[in-house]
């Protein structure tokens, strides 16, 4: 049956990997925001040819599960890097390529599509009057971007970025299939030692639930602050 | 890349596709029914049930689907054996459908509830003042207006559901992904790229078709939008 001691022990052990999971998710989030910005720019400006490529790319990323993309990256990336290293005469061994890099690349690309939607929406939410006012005041394009549009767009986008941070954390649970240790992977390792699957999975669920509740609480406070200021 | 091998293994995946489709169909159907029940409970604010529904939605939304699958697979038999129910003979597909129904039910109710609330209060009042019963009101006034609002969210839910079926091989379901992992483990570490590329194309096709279907439904229900209805 359910042993509470084992549950508590598992929970303590799992909580040691929470900081590294959060840091990895943050890194993925930042890279995906940068990529998403590029994608949003390409689609908004309809850059020649790249625009069509990015649409195909978007359809593929939306149409296939993250897990399949992760496996594709896991098997493709070392081979591709090996070929590239051979061309550039760099020392590289595909057998000791750390799967964390695979996870970072695959997840950043996967989430970039979602981020580009968020970014596009937040830019469009800035009223056109604001841009006209900036132009009337003689701001350059760059100045308008930096002083008028981006500060307003960021406020609009932050809650959505926060939500996608949570979904990155949750999706990182798939990373144990390529050998990266996060919360769920740690729970699996714990249960492999004593065959108490239920306790360790319950501990992992509690960890995730606590994390998400705390983050949602913080987000609620932030939204209240914004509403007060507006 | 070995294109010949890619086309050689593609039929394997297509023969495993029915299992994935069955899982998707039943999970979507029962998930939608569950989400309607959960939405009803949330909106009506019933004493004990409403906090329970909130707890359920918060759990479903804040833990990964993989973890939920493992919890159901290892936990549900233990939980039900306390009540003297034996479900150890259930197939792995049944466990995965239960997981996806529970996951989808919580997820879709977060789509349905805002859609219900988006229908104006005036519509309720107008129906009431015309003497509609509550069932008539729901069928003739609320649901037709709710559908065009909820459909994009429900379509997204369907896409996520299709993606979520890719993790079922972890407990040993032999669907498209299960066939892929069997192929990979029997080929001694070669040709994985072809295998997963084929899986990607199968999933891409399924998502594309279901996306088209949802778009079609959206077009049909478009005329129920209040502004569009007045025009036609």
């Amino acid at each position: 049956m359910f042993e509470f001691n084992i549950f508590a022990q598992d929970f303590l052990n799992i909580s040691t990997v929470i900081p590294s999971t959060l840091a990895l998710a943050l890194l993925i989030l930042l890279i995906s925001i940068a990529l998403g910005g590029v994608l949003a720019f390409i689609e908004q400006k309809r850059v020649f040819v790249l625009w069509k490529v990015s649409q195909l790319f978007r359809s593929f990323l939306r149409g296939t599960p993250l897990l399949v993309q992760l496996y594709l990256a896991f098997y493709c990336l070392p081979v591709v890097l090996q070929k590239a290293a051979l061309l550039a005469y760099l020392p590289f061994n595909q057998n000791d390529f750390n799967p964390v890099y695979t996870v970072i690349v695959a997840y950043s690309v996967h989430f970039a599509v979602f981020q580009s939607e968020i970014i596009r929406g937040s830019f469009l939410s800035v009223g056109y009057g604001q841009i006209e006012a900036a132009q009337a005041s003689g701001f350059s394009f760059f100045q308008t971007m930096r002083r008028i549009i981006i500060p307003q767009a960021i406020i609009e986008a932050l809650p959505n970025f926060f939500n996608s941070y949570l979904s990155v954390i949750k999706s990182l649970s798939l990373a144990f299939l390529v050998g990266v240790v996060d919360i769920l992977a740690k729970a699996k390792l714990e249960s492999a030692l004593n065959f108490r699957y239920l306790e360790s999975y319950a501990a992992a669920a509690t960890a995730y639930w606590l994390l998400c509740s705390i983050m949602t609480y913080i987000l609620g406070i932030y939204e209240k602050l914004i509403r007060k200021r507006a | 890349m070995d294109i010949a091998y890619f086309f050689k293994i593609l039929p394997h995946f297509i023969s495993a596709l029915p299992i994935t489709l069955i899982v998707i169909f039943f999970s979507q159907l029962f998930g939608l029914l569950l989400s309607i029940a959960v939405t009803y409970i949330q909106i009506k604010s019933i004493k004990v049930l409403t906090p329970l529904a909130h707890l359920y939605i918060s759990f479903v939304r804040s833990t990964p689907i993989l973890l939920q699958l493992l919890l159901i697979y290892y936990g549900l038999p233990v939980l039900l054996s306390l009540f003297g129910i034996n479900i150890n003979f259930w197939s792995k597909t049944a466990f995965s459908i239960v997981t996806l129904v529970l996951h989808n039910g919580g997820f879709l109710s977060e789509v349905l509830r805002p859609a219900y609330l988006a229908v104006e209060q005036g519509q309720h009042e107008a129906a009431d003042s015309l003497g509609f019963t509550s069932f008539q009101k729901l069928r003739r006034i609320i649901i037709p207006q709710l559908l065009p609002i909820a459909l994009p969210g429900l379509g997204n839910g369907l896409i996520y559901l299709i993606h979520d079926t890719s993790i079922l091989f972890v407990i040993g379901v032999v669907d498209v992904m299960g066939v892929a992992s069997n192929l990979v483990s029997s080929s001694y570490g070669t040709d994985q790229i072809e295998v997963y590329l084929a899986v990607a194309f199968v999933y891409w096709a399924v998502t594309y078709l279901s996306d088209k279907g949802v778009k079609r439904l959206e077009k049909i229900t478009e005329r129920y939008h209040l502004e569009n209805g007045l025009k036609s």
Side-chain angles (χ1 to χ4, degrees), chain B residues 130-151:
Chain B
L130 288 172
F132 281 35
T133 65
S134 68
F135 183 73
Q136 279 177 326
K137 180 172 83 172
L138 208 61
R139 206 184 78 73
R140 303 203 178 171
I141 310 291
I142 308 299
I143 289 179
Q145 292 188 61
L146 181 154
L147 271 181
I149 304 170
L151 260 181

Side-chain angles (χ1 to χ4, degrees), chain A residues 35-46 54 58 112 115-117 119-120 123:
Chain A
L35 277 178
V38 174
L39 271 185
F41 180 80
I42 289 173
E43 298 224 333
Q44 195 62 26
K45 295 280 171 198
R46 309 222 159 168
S54 117
R58 176 189 297 277
Q115 311 299 7
S116 83
E117 284 296 314
I119 290 169
R120 209 170 64 92
F123 269 73

Side-chain angles (χ1 to χ4, degrees), chain B residues 169-185:
Chain B
F169 82 99
V170 172
I171 63 167
V173 179
V174 190
D175 63 342
V176 177
M177 246 349 229
V179 169
S181 68
N182 286 347
L183 276 175
V184 164
S185 56

Side-chain angles (χ1 to χ4, degrees), chain B residues 28-212:
Chain B
Q28 179 72 10
L29 183 68
F30 291 116
L32 197 58
L33 291 178
L34 179 65
S35 73
I36 291 171
V38 172
T39 311
Y40 179 82
I41 290 170
Q42 272 192 312
I43 286 168
K44 290 290 168 197
S45 54
I46 303 163
K47 226 171 217 171
V48 188
L49 286 178
T50 304
L52 267 181
H54 280 302
L55 204 66
Y56 160 68
I57 288 175
S58 128
F59 181 80
V60 163
R61 282 166 60 89
S62 58
T63 54
I65 174 78
L66 182 55
L67 181 54
Q68 289 165 16
L69 179 69
L70 293 170
L71 269 179
I72 295 274
Y73 186 59
Y74 289 107
L76 198 62
V78 176
L79 187 69
L80 288 183
S81 71
L82 292 181
F83 303 104
I85 304 168
N86 182 12
I87 58 164
N88 287 322
F89 58 89
W90 275 18
S91 71
K92 287 163 176 170
T93 317
F95 280 109
S96 34
I97 289 178
V98 169
T99 311
L100 288 174
V101 165
L102 288 176
H103 182 78
N104 219 21
F107 191 89
L108 292 184
S109 81
E110 280 299 281
V111 174
L112 289 182
R113 196 174 52 95
Y116 178 85
L117 296 178
V119 177
E120 279 172 47
Q121 195 58 38
Q123 298 288 323
H124 289 258
E125 285 164 8
D128 286 337
S129 67
L130 288 172
F132 281 35
T133 65
S134 68
F135 183 73
Q136 279 177 326
K137 180 172 83 172
L138 208 61
R139 206 184 78 73
R140 303 203 178 171
I141 310 291
I142 308 299
I143 289 179
Q145 292 188 61
L146 181 154
L147 271 181
I149 304 170
L151 260 181
L154 294 180
N156 261 340
L158 180 59
I159 304 273
Y160 287 136
L161 176 67
I162 295 169
H163 289 184
D164 288 341
T165 57
S166 68
I167 60 152
L168 300 180
F169 82 99
V170 172
I171 63 167
V173 179
V174 190
D175 63 342
V176 177
M177 246 349 229
V179 169
S181 68
N182 286 347
L183 276 175
V184 164
S185 56
S186 65
S187 70
Y188 305 106
T190 55
D191 301 325
Q192 296 102 333
I193 298 173
E194 287 86 348
V195 170
Y196 284 110
L197 212 57
V199 174
F201 276 107
V202 170
Y203 269 108
W204 200 357
V206 173
T207 332
Y208 183 79
L209 290 178
S210 59
D211 222 18
K212 275 276 168 315

Side-chain angles (χ1 to χ4, degrees), chain B residues 1-9 190-191 193-195 197:
Chain B
M1 263 305 277
D2 185 353
I3 300 289
Y5 185 67
F6 176 85
F7 283 110
K8 207 185 110 199
I9 57 176
T190 55
D191 301 325
I193 298 173
E194 287 86 348
V195 170
L197 212 57

